Amino acid sequence: MMKARQIHIVGNWKMNQSLEDIKNFFIEFSKMKMDLKCEAWIAPQYIHLPILKDLAFTTGNIKVGAQNCSEVDSGAYTGEVSAKSLADIGADFVIIGHSERRTIFKEDNTLLNKKLLNAIANNLKVIFCVGETLDEREQGKTFTVVEKQLNEGLKNFPTDKANLLLIAYEPVWAIGTGKTATKEEAEEVHAFIREKLVLELKQTVILYGGSVKPDNIDSLLHMPNIDGALVGGASLKASDFKSLCIAGSSSSFTR
Ligand code: PGA
């Protein structure tokens, strides 16, 4: 049965935004009136989660989540933050497997699978990121790489919790580079991801990420398998984030 898609616009603030920047962001965001019909989510640094949760809710019904979490609930893991603690403070979601976690922090699919299963067990929504490097794309390995990330990352996924899963396709060569995949390049991989998902996960929200901006979001959201965006740079400015949310609110595709 065809059903309207719920578009998700997710800001990944990475290690940016001071407390003052955050306050100004929401002052500006709340001044710009809009009819928010899409899901609007932001992932700040861990330490800012509680304050963001208050500001985000009162000024615009934005949901708040983390950029990473531990694979275990508690114990002697100095410096780590558990999904359980994130759920405790009311975080709605967590991003797992962002390419910066994979490359800078050497997180592999086995570890990411443990993190994902633990976050799901704690009833957090998970945005699981996949994507190929430029080298891999040039060698024609995009589909093999993405399929392996999906198979290993989603191993033993409890399909009765399908509503907690989102996937983000983020070609590594498009992240923070200003080079967006064309809408056709992105759609091809999104359709492939959907085809590979088991029946119970077929309606999973699949986001595109990599240099998404107010001037390219519309064309991406016109593609049948692109259900929203995971946005770094352009989510830091209230006016840009708002424009992305307006684009997300006016997209009316059914699938
Ligand atoms: P970008 O980052 O929008 O700045 O390219 C996307 C991401 O890292 O999720």
Side-chain angles (χ1 to χ4, degrees):
M1 201 182 54
M2 301 283 274
K3 178 162 125 184
R5 303 185 297 179
Q6 179 64 296
I7 298 293
H8 288 62
I9 302 295
V10 184
N12 172 13
W13 280 359
K14 309 192 181 183
M15 206 169 67
N16 297 304
Q17 307 282 61
S18 66
L19 209 45
E20 200 184 341
D21 294 335
I22 293 175
K23 287 181 186 151
N24 290 334
F25 180 99
F26 284 103
I27 290 171
E28 214 191 311
F29 192 85
S30 59
K31 275 195 217 142
M32 299 177 278
K33 296 280 169 250
M34 69 173 288
D35 186 12
L36 186 68
K37 291 213 196 83
C38 66
E39 289 283 319
W41 297 5
I42 293 179
Q45 300 181 56
Y46 287 129
I47 196 165
H48 294 142
L49 273 164
I51 177 138
L52 208 80
K53 188 148 175 81
D54 287 349
L55 285 169
F57 185 74
T58 46
T59 57
N61 205 10
I62 295 173
K63 294 195 179 118
V64 167
Q67 301 165 16
N68 177 35
C69 66
S70 166
E71 71 278 23
V72 293
D73 276 346
S74 62
Y77 295 89
T78 303
E80 288 290 89
V81 173
S82 68
K84 192 170 190 293
S85 310
L86 292 172
D88 261 2
I89 63 152
D92 295 290
F93 71 95
V94 58
I95 300 171
I96 290 182
H98 188 279
S99 77
E100 285 148 23
R101 300 297 316 173
R102 291 176 185 269
T103 38
I104 306 170
F105 301 97
K106 312 279 177 260
E107 297 189 356
D108 63 12
N109 288 327
T110 310
L111 174 65
L112 296 173
N113 176 248
K114 288 187 191 148
K115 292 187 175 204
L116 178 143
L117 295 180
N118 182 266
I120 296 285
N122 281 290
N123 278 320
L124 286 177
K125 293 203 172 194
V126 168
I127 301 176
F128 181 63
C129 304
V130 297
E132 81 289 0
T133 61
L134 185 57
D135 251 17
E136 290 162 344
R137 175 161 280 261
E138 284 173 355
Q139 289 171 40
K141 291 188 186 154
T142 299
F143 296 108
T144 325
V145 168
V146 169
E147 188 169 6
K148 186 169 153 64
Q149 290 170 333
L150 287 175
N151 286 344
E152 296 180 4
L154 298 182
K155 198 167 160 204
N156 298 326
F157 186 89
T159 49
D160 58 327
K161 299 246 181 132
N163 63 316
L164 295 182
L165 180 69
L166 295 86
I167 292 173
Y169 168 58
E170 298 204 304
V172 181
W173 48 271
I175 297 178
T177 58
K179 277 192 224 158
T180 330
T182 63
K183 59 186 194 306
E184 291 82 9
E185 281 169 336
E187 170 63 17
E188 192 187 22
V189 183
H190 281 232
F192 172 80
I193 292 172
R194 198 173 303 287
E195 183 202 309
K196 292 292 160 195
L197 294 173
V198 295
L199 191 63
E200 295 88 335
L201 301 181
K202 287 281 184 222
Q203 290 300 324
T204 297
V205 167
I206 308 178
L207 311 174
Y208 169 78
S211 300
V212 174
K213 307 220 159 28
D215 63 7
N216 59 25
I217 182 101
D218 281 325
S219 64
L220 289 160
L221 293 182
H222 267 88
M223 305 313 272
N225 286 292
I226 301 182
D227 306 323
L230 180 54
V231 190
S235 70
L236 296 170
K237 264 180 69 186
S239 55
D240 285 350
F241 189 67
K242 191 89 172 196
S243 302
L244 296 168
C245 291
I246 290 171
S249 297
S250 50
S251 166
S252 59
F253 224 94
T254 49
R255 182 172 54 235

